[in-house]
Amino acid sequence: MVGLAAIAELFGGNAGIEELEAFYPIRRDCLADIPKTRFRPRVGKTLSARRWHAAFSEDGHLDIEKVLRRIQRGGIHPSIKGFVWEFLLGCFDPNSTFDDRNQLREQRRERYAMWKTECQNMVPVIGSGKYITRPIITDDGQPIEGEDCHVTSAVSDKKVAHWMLFLHQIGLDVFRTDRALVFYEDEANQAKLWDILAIYSWVDDDIGYVQGMNDICSPMVILLENEADAFWCFEHAMRRLRENFRCNTSSIGVQSQLGILSQVIKTVDPKLHQHLEDLDGGEYLFAFRMLMVLFRREFSFVDALYLWEVMWAMEYNPNIFSLYEQPDAALDSNSTQTLHAKELKRYGKFQRKNLQNGHVDKNCALSVFLVASVLETKNRQILKDAKGLDDVVTILGEITGNLDAKKACQNALKIQDKYLKKAKKS
């Protein structure tokens, strides 16, 4: 844990990347292999711990407008990142009090403990500080014998069997998750990530577990020390992302967003879209990974976190908590008729622009315009050098470690503006 002196040093004007990564130390043997980190906390721009605490009233109401403005300018300081994310993702209502949130947090911790006990009764390794990477039952529900056997009798319940069949796959993915970080050298931390993903896949059996969820959940485990709090932060992130992970034999989860991406590029850059069509890339499947795990592989760990929080701040809807907790009583977030200029300021830049233009497609996320901005930066190279889809994938692969998250967000907003203007005319 980094102390106050280190935090003060970070904001002293000579904030080096070495100090920043003290929050997320990298294994020495991995330093040469990870993408370059570009984000640095900026005094006067980044949301600092002091600014964050000053944004609360005496009883705990949060001035979300001030917070959003600061995040959109310079991200969030690592010392408070997890707590701010809870608000950005809709875990808590900015209009609630400290007492309200403490009560809700305790209720959620109790609910998580109940689910964890339920899962532990079926697979005792959950909560033990260990995790599994080998199958524990056969496809027909029979326990697999061995020294680390975790199931002692046949499983006939289809939901239980389906859940158990994926537990070792979660373990294999956990083993590979953010391996460059010192944090995951500790098996207990890996087990914590596995526990959360295993319990989530039990609770949300409609989606279950899909590879890539580990990349979304890992930062929450690192940022929030309490396991239940990390679970609920991940669960709220999945409320906006879960359809990305809904895959079956006939469709992939991000297909709707890929369709929007195709529409955006066709509108703002018809020449590039036509070239991609000619290469049989009109479905934009090469952007699948970027959208599914929100650019986790294209950026360093630090830059990916910065990108996410800026995106969530720009997409912020002040009704998000009500929409999640009391959907029937929530305000219609898609209505612009009753929203005055002052109220619109409580929305993020991206969401505010959509509301002002009457554009309410839920699949039209900022991440779609981020991919569009990446394609635009590679426009000339794709038009000149891409003779097939493999070439497009290779060209886009060159952005790893070479993309500036802040500039990408700024360009995404410009493309959104251009798209909305052209869409309105048509």
Side-chain angles (χ1 to χ4, degrees):
M1 204 70 186
V2 177
L4 290 176
I7 293 172
E9 183 182 351
L10 279 169
F11 278 90
N14 295 313
I17 202 62
E18 295 82 6
E19 289 90 354
L20 177 60
E21 288 183 346
F23 285 90
Y24 322 107
I26 306 294
R27 289 167 43 188
R28 287 191 175 184
D29 58 321
C30 298
L31 286 172
D33 301 324
I34 61 170
K36 177 185 175 183
T37 293
R38 295 170 181 268
F39 168 73
R40 288 170 178 76
R42 303 290 184 187
V43 63
K45 292 187 177 181
T46 301
L47 179 65
S48 65
R50 182 180 65 82
R51 290 273 186 179
W52 170 245
H53 295 307
F56 288 94
S57 66
E58 190 175 338
D59 64 350
H61 291 86
L62 175 64
D63 188 338
I64 193 65
E65 184 184 331
K66 282 185 180 178
V67 168
L68 291 178
R69 194 162 57 239
R70 183 69 63 163
I71 297 170
Q72 290 170 137
R73 288 176 65 192
I76 305 169
H77 191 272
S79 62
I80 53 169
K81 202 176 285 283
F83 305 114
V84 183
W85 280 22
E86 290 181 309
F87 283 88
L88 293 179
L89 292 169
C91 297
F92 298 118
D93 185 356
N95 292 320
S96 62
T97 65
F98 290 126
D99 289 341
D100 293 334
R101 292 193 291 276
N102 287 337
Q103 184 178 1
L104 181 56
R105 192 183 291 279
E106 285 308 311
Q107 289 172 353
R108 286 176 175 162
R109 288 177 176 179
E110 288 174 10
R111 203 183 320 170
Y112 179 73
M114 179 187 71
W115 286 333
K116 188 171 185 177
T117 299
E118 184 180 4
C119 292
Q120 204 169 23
N121 288 338
M122 294 183 285
V123 180
V125 72
I126 289 175
S128 69
K130 305 284 185 181
Y131 65 102
I132 61 172
T133 54
R134 295 189 216 173
I136 55 175
I137 62 169
T138 60
D139 289 342
D140 60 355
Q142 297 300 315
I144 294 176
E145 295 183 4
E147 59 183 35
D148 56 351
C149 179
H150 302 285
V151 179
T152 56
S153 59
V155 179
S156 57
D157 185 287
K158 287 185 178 179
K159 178 186 174 182
V160 174
H162 182 75
W163 174 66
M164 286 185 176
L165 284 168
F166 275 91
L167 292 179
H168 78 285
Q169 183 58 57
I170 298 175
L172 290 170
D173 290 344
V174 162
F175 180 77
R176 294 188 286 260
T177 303
D178 291 322
R179 292 293 291 162
L181 297 179
V182 171
F183 181 84
Y184 284 118
E185 287 186 314
D186 186 342
E187 187 183 12
N189 290 331
Q190 291 181 312
K192 185 175 170 183
L193 175 59
W194 182 75
D195 284 352
I196 290 173
L197 292 168
I199 294 165
Y200 178 83
S201 67
W202 171 252
V203 174
D204 186 1
D205 61 313
D206 179 38
I207 298 292
Y209 173 78
V210 180
Q211 193 172 59
M213 289 182 181
N214 51 310
D215 291 310
I216 303 297
C217 187
S218 172
M220 282 79 169
V221 173
I222 294 171
L223 296 174
L224 293 163
E225 187 174 354
N226 183 279
E227 184 179 312
D229 295 345
F231 170 88
W232 284 108
C233 191
F234 170 66
E235 191 269 349
H236 277 69
M238 285 301 298
R239 292 191 190 201
R240 64 169 64 201
L241 295 172
R242 69 191 296 274
E243 292 305 314
N244 286 7
F245 292 93
R246 188 187 294 279
C247 301
N248 54 46
T249 53
S250 60
S251 67
I252 57 174
V254 296
Q255 201 149 21
S256 296
Q257 290 190 338
L258 292 173
I260 296 290
L261 175 62
S262 174
Q263 185 179 322
V264 168
I265 296 298
K266 186 177 181 180
T267 302
V268 302
D269 194 341
K271 188 177 180 180
L272 177 60
H273 176 77
Q274 186 57 55
H275 185 62
L276 291 169
E277 284 258 291
D278 294 341
L279 299 178
D280 288 331
E283 293 184 351
Y284 289 75
L285 292 174
F286 50 80
F288 172 85
R289 188 182 73 181
M290 293 183 201
L291 291 172
M292 193 164 189
V293 295
L294 298 181
F295 292 86
R296 269 302 310 271
R297 311 290 169 79
E298 283 70 35
F299 290 94
S300 70
F301 182 80
V302 171
D303 284 351
L305 269 55
Y306 166 70
L307 178 71
W308 288 5
E309 63 207 22
V310 173
M311 282 173 55
W312 293 336
M314 288 181 172
E315 292 178 323
Y316 187 76
N317 180 337
N319 302 311
I320 187 172
F321 177 81
S322 299
L323 289 166
Y324 288 160
E325 300 296 323
Q326 303 162 328
D328 295 333
L331 295 172
D332 181 2
S333 65
N334 294 335
S335 173
T336 60
Q337 295 177 354
T338 58
L339 292 175
H340 303 294
K342 188 175 180 180
E343 293 171 311
L344 279 169
K345 288 182 179 178
R346 298 178 66 237
Y347 288 80
K349 288 181 183 178
F350 178 81
Q351 184 68 2
R352 185 163 63 238
K353 182 73 74 173
N354 281 336
L355 289 170
Q356 289 170 330
N357 285 271
H359 194 76
V360 294
D361 190 334
K362 67 178 181 179
N363 292 308
C364 201
L366 180 54
S367 56
V368 171
F369 290 91
L370 275 164
V371 177
S373 76
V374 169
L375 287 169
E376 284 296 281
T377 60
K378 294 292 183 179
N379 173 305
R380 291 183 181 179
Q381 191 177 357
I382 293 172
L383 289 173
K384 180 184 175 183
D385 299 334
K387 311 301 181 187
L389 281 183
D390 288 345
D391 295 329
V392 176
V393 172
T394 300
I395 291 168
L396 293 180
E398 294 170 1
I399 70 170
T400 300
N402 296 309
L403 200 60
D404 186 302
K406 186 173 184 178
K407 287 182 180 178
C409 283
Q410 290 171 342
N411 290 336
L413 290 177
K414 289 177 183 177
I415 291 174
Q416 178 207 20
D417 192 50
K418 186 177 179 181
Y419 171 70
L420 290 175
K421 286 178 180 176
K422 289 198 172 189
K424 207 169 187 178
K425 288 180 181 179
S426 61

